[in-house]
Amino acid sequence: MSGFPSTVWTWVEGGDVLEGGRALGQVLLPRSRSTPLLLAAGAPVHVALSVGWAGVLAAVLPERGEPALGLAGGLAIAALDLAVLGRFFPPIAALPQGRQWADHAAFGLTVGVALRATRQAGRRPARGAPAR
């Protein structure tokens, strides 16, 4: 879900929906211009970053208000990823920043919603089990 905002935004404007994937691939392969190669290089990096940040959010978000706090966490991650670290990676810095911030917000919100659902499911008694 985290790529939904930028994908829709880019598609509506008639832009290149693969530009973000290529940009991340160029962080690893700066001389490459091959779209399949750049997407293949960027995909595992994106997965690792997403899983890592989801783990951080799961560890720090309290058990109340996970969606809203996840959204705020996504924006904090955007500040670090885009405003601080992104300056050192020209392909990332060249991306339309509003879209990238929207994706980070969607990521945080999605993690928050999933975290709340997971935590609530863990507190429910199993079916057929007597309530405590």
Side-chain angles (χ1 to χ4, degrees):
M1 293 302 300
S2 66
F4 186 76
S6 67
T7 300
V8 170
W9 191 339
T10 303
W11 180 73
V12 166
E13 289 185 342
D16 180 2
V17 297
L18 299 178
E19 71 182 339
R22 279 195 301 272
L24 190 54
Q26 282 187 310
V27 169
L28 293 177
L29 304 171
R31 293 188 180 101
S32 179
R33 297 295 174 255
S34 166
T35 293
L37 184 59
L38 291 171
L39 294 177
V45 173
H46 190 268
V47 169
L49 288 170
S50 296
V51 169
W53 279 124
V56 169
L57 290 175
V60 301
L61 292 182
E63 290 200 27
R64 297 266 186 248
E66 292 96 332
L69 293 172
L71 177 90
L75 292 172
I77 293 166
L80 179 63
D81 283 354
L82 301 171
V84 177
L85 301 176
R87 293 184 297 176
F88 298 104
F89 300 101
I92 302 300
L95 293 171
Q97 293 299 293
R99 298 173 196 179
Q100 300 308 307
W101 281 76
D103 282 353
H104 279 73
F107 169 77
L109 178 63
T110 301
V111 170
V113 168
L115 188 56
R116 179 179 63 185
T118 302
R119 288 173 174 172
Q120 286 177 345
R123 289 191 293 265
R124 289 187 202 129
R127 273 198 229 183
R132 294 182 187 170

